[in-house]
PDB file of all heavy atoms in Angstrom:
ATOM      1  N   GLY X  72       3.374  -1.947  13.740  1.00  0.00           N
ATOM      2  CA  GLY X  72       2.027  -1.496  14.062  1.00  0.00           C
ATOM      3  C   GLY X  72       0.993  -2.279  13.284  1.00  0.00           C
ATOM      4  O   GLY X  72       1.309  -2.973  12.324  1.00  0.00           O
ATOM      5  N   ALA X  73      -0.248  -2.143  13.747  1.00  0.00           N
ATOM      6  CA  ALA X  73      -1.352  -2.859  13.118  1.00  0.00           C
ATOM      7  C   ALA X  73      -2.656  -2.118  13.377  1.00  0.00           C
ATOM      8  O   ALA X  73      -2.752  -1.300  14.295  1.00  0.00           O
ATOM      9  CB  ALA X  73      -1.444  -4.281  13.669  1.00  0.00           C
ATOM     10  N   GLY X  74      -3.634  -2.427  12.573  1.00  0.00           N
ATOM     11  CA  GLY X  74      -4.980  -1.909  12.750  1.00  0.00           C
ATOM     12  C   GLY X  74      -5.921  -2.742  11.911  1.00  0.00           C
ATOM     13  O   GLY X  74      -5.493  -3.602  11.143  1.00  0.00           O
ATOM     14  N   ARG X  75      -7.225  -2.491  12.059  1.00  0.00           N
ATOM     15  CA  ARG X  75      -8.181  -3.252  11.267  1.00  0.00           C
ATOM     16  C   ARG X  75      -9.347  -2.374  10.834  1.00  0.00           C
ATOM     17  O   ARG X  75      -9.638  -1.355  11.463  1.00  0.00           O
ATOM     18  CB  ARG X  75      -8.685  -4.475  12.019  1.00  0.00           C
ATOM     19  CG  ARG X  75      -9.659  -4.158  13.134  1.00  0.00           C
ATOM     20  CD  ARG X  75     -10.149  -5.424  13.822  1.00  0.00           C
ATOM     21  NE  ARG X  75     -11.175  -5.089  14.799  1.00  0.00           N
ATOM     22  CZ  ARG X  75     -11.733  -5.939  15.637  1.00  0.00           C
ATOM     23  NH1 ARG X  75     -11.358  -7.214  15.620  1.00  0.00           N
ATOM     24  NH2 ARG X  75     -12.658  -5.545  16.475  1.00  0.00           N
ATOM     25  N   LEU X  76      -9.982  -2.805   9.756  1.00  0.00           N
ATOM     26  CA  LEU X  76     -11.183  -2.173   9.235  1.00  0.00           C
ATOM     27  C   LEU X  76     -12.303  -3.205   9.257  1.00  0.00           C
ATOM     28  O   LEU X  76     -12.148  -4.302   8.722  1.00  0.00           O
ATOM     29  CB  LEU X  76     -10.963  -1.697   7.794  1.00  0.00           C
ATOM     30  CG  LEU X  76     -12.216  -1.199   7.058  1.00  0.00           C
ATOM     31  CD1 LEU X  76     -12.720   0.109   7.671  1.00  0.00           C
ATOM     32  CD2 LEU X  76     -11.915  -1.033   5.573  1.00  0.00           C
ATOM     33  N   LEU X  77     -13.415  -2.833   9.871  1.00  0.00           N
ATOM     34  CA  LEU X  77     -14.626  -3.638   9.828  1.00  0.00           C
ATOM     35  C   LEU X  77     -15.610  -2.912   8.935  1.00  0.00           C
ATOM     36  O   LEU X  77     -15.697  -1.679   8.958  1.00  0.00           O
ATOM     37  CB  LEU X  77     -15.231  -3.798  11.222  1.00  0.00           C
ATOM     38  CG  LEU X  77     -14.333  -4.372  12.314  1.00  0.00           C
ATOM     39  CD1 LEU X  77     -15.075  -4.406  13.644  1.00  0.00           C
ATOM     40  CD2 LEU X  77     -13.828  -5.746  11.940  1.00  0.00           C
ATOM     41  N   TYR X  78     -16.364  -3.672   8.155  1.00  0.00           N
ATOM     42  CA  TYR X  78     -17.362  -3.047   7.288  1.00  0.00           C
ATOM     43  C   TYR X  78     -18.419  -4.075   6.923  1.00  0.00           C
ATOM     44  O   TYR X  78     -18.229  -5.276   7.103  1.00  0.00           O
ATOM     45  CB  TYR X  78     -16.704  -2.456   6.037  1.00  0.00           C
ATOM     46  CG  TYR X  78     -16.142  -3.487   5.096  1.00  0.00           C
ATOM     47  CD1 TYR X  78     -16.861  -3.883   3.972  1.00  0.00           C
ATOM     48  CD2 TYR X  78     -14.913  -4.082   5.341  1.00  0.00           C
ATOM     49  CE1 TYR X  78     -16.357  -4.838   3.112  1.00  0.00           C
ATOM     50  CE2 TYR X  78     -14.406  -5.038   4.492  1.00  0.00           C
ATOM     51  CZ  TYR X  78     -15.127  -5.419   3.376  1.00  0.00           C
ATOM     52  OH  TYR X  78     -14.629  -6.365   2.534  1.00  0.00           O
ATOM     53  N   GLY X  79     -19.529  -3.565   6.404  1.00  0.00           N
ATOM     54  CA  GLY X  79     -20.595  -4.427   5.937  1.00  0.00           C
ATOM     55  C   GLY X  79     -21.776  -4.455   6.882  1.00  0.00           C
ATOM     56  O   GLY X  79     -21.703  -4.004   8.025  1.00  0.00           O
ATOM     57  N   PRO X  80     -22.895  -4.975   6.393  1.00  0.00           N
ATOM     58  CA  PRO X  80     -24.132  -4.970   7.182  1.00  0.00           C
ATOM     59  C   PRO X  80     -24.028  -5.730   8.497  1.00  0.00           C
ATOM     60  O   PRO X  80     -24.663  -5.359   9.479  1.00  0.00           O
ATOM     61  CB  PRO X  80     -25.158  -5.626   6.261  1.00  0.00           C
ATOM     62  CG  PRO X  80     -24.532  -5.769   4.938  1.00  0.00           C
ATOM     63  CD  PRO X  80     -23.073  -5.522   5.069  1.00  0.00           C
ATOM     64  N   GLU X  81     -23.208  -6.777   8.530  1.00  0.00           N
ATOM     65  CA  GLU X  81     -23.105  -7.575   9.755  1.00  0.00           C
ATOM     66  C   GLU X  81     -22.442  -6.834  10.914  1.00  0.00           C
ATOM     67  O   GLU X  81     -22.628  -7.190  12.060  1.00  0.00           O
ATOM     68  CB  GLU X  81     -22.382  -8.901   9.488  1.00  0.00           C
ATOM     69  CG  GLU X  81     -20.964  -8.766   8.987  1.00  0.00           C
ATOM     70  CD  GLU X  81     -20.843  -8.500   7.485  1.00  0.00           C
ATOM     71  OE1 GLU X  81     -21.849  -8.456   6.770  1.00  0.00           O
ATOM     72  OE2 GLU X  81     -19.705  -8.312   7.044  1.00  0.00           O
ATOM     73  N   VAL X  82     -21.679  -5.779  10.633  1.00  0.00           N
ATOM     74  CA  VAL X  82     -21.062  -5.010  11.714  1.00  0.00           C
ATOM     75  C   VAL X  82     -21.693  -3.633  11.884  1.00  0.00           C
ATOM     76  O   VAL X  82     -21.456  -2.962  12.883  1.00  0.00           O
ATOM     77  CB  VAL X  82     -19.530  -4.857  11.522  1.00  0.00           C
ATOM     78  CG1 VAL X  82     -18.859  -6.195  11.553  1.00  0.00           C
ATOM     79  CG2 VAL X  82     -19.187  -4.089  10.281  1.00  0.00           C
ATOM     80  N   ALA X  83     -22.506  -3.213  10.918  1.00  0.00           N
ATOM     81  CA  ALA X  83     -23.060  -1.855  10.935  1.00  0.00           C
ATOM     82  C   ALA X  83     -23.907  -1.593  12.172  1.00  0.00           C
ATOM     83  O   ALA X  83     -23.833  -0.513  12.763  1.00  0.00           O
ATOM     84  CB  ALA X  83     -23.872  -1.585   9.676  1.00  0.00           C
ATOM     85  N   GLY X  84     -24.707  -2.547  12.586  1.00  0.00           N
ATOM     86  CA  GLY X  84     -25.590  -2.335  13.727  1.00  0.00           C
ATOM     87  C   GLY X  84     -24.847  -2.045  15.005  1.00  0.00           C
ATOM     88  O   GLY X  84     -25.229  -1.165  15.775  1.00  0.00           O
ATOM     89  N   GLU X  85     -23.764  -2.751  15.220  1.00  0.00           N
ATOM     90  CA  GLU X  85     -23.043  -2.597  16.478  1.00  0.00           C
ATOM     91  C   GLU X  85     -21.931  -1.548  16.428  1.00  0.00           C
ATOM     92  O   GLU X  85     -21.654  -0.886  17.404  1.00  0.00           O
ATOM     93  CB  GLU X  85     -22.429  -3.944  16.892  1.00  0.00           C
ATOM     94  CG  GLU X  85     -21.798  -3.877  18.265  1.00  0.00           C
ATOM     95  CD  GLU X  85     -21.420  -5.244  18.790  1.00  0.00           C
ATOM     96  OE1 GLU X  85     -22.135  -6.210  18.509  1.00  0.00           O
ATOM     97  OE2 GLU X  85     -20.399  -5.316  19.481  1.00  0.00           O
TER      98      GLU X  85
END
Side-chain angles (χ1 to χ4, degrees):
R75 74 179 185 185
L76 171 68
L77 304 178
Y78 68 99
E81 61 278 357
V82 297
E85 186 169 325

